[in-house]
Amino acid sequence: MAKTTTFLSAVNQTLKRASVIQGSTAELTSFTGHANQTDIDLMLDSWNEVIADLYTLDVLKEEIAEGSFTISTSGTDSGREYSVPAGFIRMRGDPINQENSFILRHFDGGFDAMREQRMDPDDFTGQPSFWVISPVSDNIRIDTTPTSDENGDVYGYTYDQRVNLAATTDTFPIDDAVVDVLQNAVWQWWVLKRKSAADFNEALYSRSMVNATHMLRDGPPKRMYGAA
């Protein structure tokens, strides 16, 4: 089965179901700069929220992606913290600087232990040895304040990534047939956000989600939508 449907194509189809646009001549070519921007923005959010529900149902698996950060003495928190890519869920393994054969190990005990054992981070400078994810900033945090000797060192890593659709050319992590089945679920989620609970067709939403989960895995879904 193919995975060729673009985010733009899917959004145009759902906007037609919601009667926000009519006919091919009114189809969007971009996601910004429209008179009905609120309707469009809510539809973009609705698609991503329905896809996120499929992740929580364990019918979609996170993708593995590659990322990196470059040590900088002028970076966040004196070069001790580095942002992660959009969609980052968790690190796989440890960051590696291949050029110098350095590897950062996860700090035993995590962020709280590093905070306790590095009470004055300025006392620890030079080559880092450990990393954690800060629950405060959601950044990668290293255990030292880098100096000019470490400035420019690149650490690469792999991570689990959850797909977040944003660009018109983004494609779905699911087959085209499943995208089609989800149209009603996304439409009704948009109705709930844009209009009211009274306008929301729970039966239509539930049927769409159940059909999609059946297509994505064998056996009954682990969680049902709607009344039992």
Side-chain angles (χ1 to χ4, degrees), residues 98-134:
Q98 292 182 320
E99 182 177 357
N100 299 307
S101 299
F102 293 144
I103 184 168
L104 304 183
R105 301 296 185 184
H106 187 261
F107 198 92
D108 188 25
F111 176 81
D112 289 338
M114 181 183 286
R115 183 170 175 270
E116 292 173 1
Q117 297 179 41
R118 304 286 192 270
M119 284 189 287
D120 187 351
D122 290 333
D123 288 344
F124 301 87
T125 61
Q127 179 62 44
S129 299
F130 301 98
W131 69 275
V132 293
I133 296 293
S134 166

Side-chain angles (χ1 to χ4, degrees), residues 11-24 27:
V11 168
N12 272 321
Q13 292 304 310
T14 326
L15 288 172
K16 289 178 183 178
R17 291 187 187 222
S19 299
V20 175
I21 61 174
Q22 292 81 35
S24 59
E27 288 185 354

Side-chain angles (χ1 to χ4, degrees), residues 10-56:
V11 168
N12 272 321
Q13 292 304 310
T14 326
L15 288 172
K16 289 178 183 178
R17 291 187 187 222
S19 299
V20 175
I21 61 174
Q22 292 81 35
S24 59
T25 57
E27 288 185 354
L28 307 182
T29 57
S30 70
F31 290 147
T32 58
H34 303 280
N36 52 356
Q37 193 64 52
T38 298
D39 292 322
I40 295 167
D41 289 343
L42 286 176
M43 194 63 80
L44 303 182
D45 290 342
S46 295
W47 265 110
N48 276 299
E49 288 169 15
V50 167
I51 295 296
D53 267 349
L54 295 179
Y55 281 110
T56 64

Side-chain angles (χ1 to χ4, degrees), residues 5-209:
T5 301
T6 65
F7 195 25
L8 178 63
S9 175
V11 168
N12 272 321
Q13 292 304 310
T14 326
L15 288 172
K16 289 178 183 178
R17 291 187 187 222
S19 299
V20 175
I21 61 174
Q22 292 81 35
S24 59
T25 57
E27 288 185 354
L28 307 182
T29 57
S30 70
F31 290 147
T32 58
H34 303 280
N36 52 356
Q37 193 64 52
T38 298
D39 292 322
I40 295 167
D41 289 343
L42 286 176
M43 194 63 80
L44 303 182
D45 290 342
S46 295
W47 265 110
N48 276 299
E49 288 169 15
V50 167
I51 295 296
D53 267 349
L54 295 179
Y55 281 110
T56 64
L57 289 168
D58 293 329
V59 293
L60 284 183
K61 300 301 180 184
E62 294 85 3
E63 296 184 352
I64 299 174
E66 292 185 327
S68 67
F69 63 91
T70 302
I71 298 292
S72 172
T73 55
S74 59
T76 301
D77 196 10
S78 301
R80 289 184 287 263
E81 291 202 356
Y82 300 89
S83 61
V84 297
F88 178 97
I89 299 176
R90 66 185 66 86
M91 188 81 75
R92 299 176 64 91
D94 292 308
I96 295 172
N97 173 239
Q98 292 182 320
E99 182 177 357
N100 299 307
S101 299
F102 293 144
I103 184 168
L104 304 183
R105 301 296 185 184
H106 187 261
F107 198 92
D108 188 25
F111 176 81
D112 289 338
M114 181 183 286
R115 183 170 175 270
E116 292 173 1
Q117 297 179 41
R118 304 286 192 270
M119 284 189 287
D120 187 351
D122 290 333
D123 288 344
F124 301 87
T125 61
Q127 179 62 44
S129 299
F130 301 98
W131 69 275
V132 293
I133 296 293
S134 166
V136 178
S137 62
D138 292 326
N139 290 336
I140 296 170
R141 185 176 181 87
I142 59 177
D143 65 318
T144 64
T145 300
T147 68
S148 57
D149 290 337
E150 294 78 43
N151 193 64
D153 286 352
V154 178
Y155 285 84
Y157 56 88
T158 58
Y159 64 97
D160 290 330
Q161 172 185 246
R162 182 164 293 178
V163 172
N164 183 69
L165 301 166
T168 58
T169 55
D170 284 349
T171 54
F172 288 79
I174 51 180
D175 292 320
D176 295 346
V178 183
V179 176
D180 291 340
V181 168
L182 285 173
Q183 285 283 346
N184 281 337
V186 176
W187 168 33
Q188 287 307 305
W189 196 247
W190 177 89
V191 167
L192 185 63
K193 294 160 69 75
R194 183 63 167 133
K195 297 183 180 181
S196 68
D199 296 304
F200 176 65
N201 189 327
E202 186 175 1
L204 190 60
Y205 173 82
S206 299
R207 186 163 60 250
S208 178
M209 290 296 291

